[in-house]
Amino acid sequence: MQTSTPDHDMLIPDCAGGESFALMVMGQSMTPEFQEGEIIIIEPEGLAKDGSYVLAWHNEEWTFRQLLQAGDGWVLHALNPAFPDEPLVSLADVRGVIIQKALPGRRRASKHYI
């Protein structure tokens, strides 16, 4: 029996063994820590914990936010105060942890998060 895969699963690179992959930051929701145009490295099998920067499937789209514990649940927190916190339905929606950022052409601007 073959099962169908949700369309959003097709958007994550099909990496053997959960290999890390890179994405470019778009928008201003994570400033000042992450600037538009920076490259972030995502570890699909990384441990998501309170304070981690994560890639999550939320409200029918991919989003990059900080994961924060709020009471008995979790929220996706934008560092830019112009963007509201969003409650996270399930930690299963977290698909990776950001482990590094880099600004193309500026090696010294690289920063590790683990």
Side-chain angles (χ1 to χ4, degrees):
M1 179 176 178
Q2 186 174 13
T3 59
S4 63
T5 303
D7 290 338
H8 65 271
D9 283 343
M10 300 302 242
L11 300 176
I12 292 184
D14 185 19
C15 299
E19 293 178 13
S20 298
F21 60 95
L23 295 174
M24 181 178 283
V25 175
M26 305 296 289
Q28 302 296 317
S29 65
M30 293 300 286
T31 59
E33 180 68 22
F34 298 91
Q35 302 297 319
E36 186 165 22
E38 288 182 322
I39 304 299
I40 54 175
I41 309 299
I42 295 98
E43 174 64 44
E45 296 177 357
L47 176 62
K49 59 185 180 183
D50 188 38
S52 296
Y53 297 112
V54 299
L55 177 67
W57 179 251
H58 182 69
N59 290 336
E60 302 299 317
E61 65 182 6
W62 291 107
T63 190
F64 161 47
R65 295 285 191 269
Q66 186 177 34
L67 181 67
L68 296 177
Q69 193 162 18
D72 292 338
W74 297 90
V75 296
L76 295 172
H77 173 71
L79 300 179
N80 182 336
F83 295 82
D85 287 351
E86 298 281 338
L88 186 64
V89 175
S90 167
L91 282 178
D93 293 336
V94 172
R95 297 301 184 90
V97 176
I98 285 60
I99 59 170
Q100 183 179 352
K101 76 170 182 175
L103 185 60
R106 300 199 50 209
R107 188 175 192 155
R108 289 184 214 177
S110 182
K111 185 173 180 181
H112 295 267
Y113 292 95
I114 293 191

